[in-house]
Each structure stands twice: as structure tokens, then as C-alpha cells.
Amino acid sequence: EVHQVESGGGLVQAGESLRLSCKASGSTFDDDALAWFRQAPGKEREKVACFTLHDGSTFLADSVKGRFTVSRDNAGNTVYLQMSSLKPEDTAVYYCKEGLCLTSDDGWEFEAALGSWGQGTQVTVSS
């Protein structure tokens, strides 16, 4: 069962911005956090951001720090990934997933909740 749906992808030029949306399939999200991942062709899925739903704490991958931010709508059932200063290397299929942000002195990891991943949304950045 898929618990979240991604949207908002598209084709943009380098330097432009894009906002992705992750909408809960129910009235709200069930878990403590929502993470964004991406997967480029021929590469493994990599973490992008983790957002704790109760207080808005955000953890970002080094590759997107200073360019990407995460926010939540007032209704609480949609989380956004705002991407700015996009680069061709940001090209990937982006996924969101409910779960838990795990932090340590070494950084952060994500523990995904049970359930299937969605189909993702394609982001293509041309040079």
C-alpha cells in the first residue's frame, strides 16, 4: 500500500527552481518524518532530505545544502521540497517516504516505514 504521492517534477534549465509535492494518501501522514530520496539512471537511490513532521526539523544531504528546503502546508497533509539553483546532476526521479529521521554525530539516516514506495516524479535539469 502506497501512503504518499509525489508530484511537481518537470524539465527545467540549470539555475532554475522547482517545487515538488508529497501528499499523504490519507488525511495526514502517519509517521514521525517524511524523507525525500532521488534515483538517477544507473545509480542507487540516495537520500536528499529528512523532515520531522512534529517540529519541522530538516536534515539535508551535503549535495543540496543551501539549495533545497523542505516545508509543510498548513493542513498538514502535504510536504514540499523546494529546489533552487538546480544543476544537471540533480536530474533524477524523486521519491518521498514516511518514516523516521535518525540522527547521530555522523549525520543522519532514514528508517522507512512499512509500505510501498510511490512512483516518484521525474526532475530533469538541462545544462
Side-chain angles (χ1 to χ4, degrees):
E1 181 182 2
V2 177
H3 295 278
Q4 57 285 311
V5 179
E6 308 91 346
S7 64
L11 172 63
V12 296
Q13 293 188 334
E16 293 185 339
S17 299
L18 203 59
R19 189 179 77 166
L20 306 184
S21 299
C22 177
K23 186 174 175 60
S25 60
S27 60
T28 187
F29 295 104
D30 296 323
D31 288 274
D32 183 67
L34 193 290
W36 286 95
F37 281 72
R38 66 187 181 186
Q39 187 167 19
K43 295 186 177 181
E44 293 187 354
R45 187 174 295 175
E46 64 172 350
K47 61 184 183 182
V48 175
C50 199
F51 178 80
T52 57
L53 295 167
H54 66 277
D55 68 0
S57 295
T58 304
F59 308 95
L60 298 169
D62 289 342
S63 60
V64 305
K65 284 180 180 177
R67 301 189 299 122
F68 290 13
T69 59
V70 184
S71 63
R72 183 180 189 178
D73 73 336
N74 291 333
N77 62 358
T78 303
V79 172
Y80 303 103
L81 179 66
Q82 178 68 48
M83 307 184 295
S84 304
S85 302
L86 282 162
K87 305 175 181 180
E89 51 263 45
D90 295 318
T91 296
V93 178
Y94 284 71
Y95 303 86
C96 62
K97 188 76 173 76
E98 290 185 71
L100 186 66
C101 301
L102 303 174
T103 61
S104 69
D105 292 340
D106 296 327
W108 63 273
E109 296 296 333
F110 178 70
E111 182 177 288
L114 296 177
S116 301
W117 290 73
Q119 293 189 340
T121 185
Q122 175 70 50
V123 173
T124 303
V125 184
S126 63
S127 58

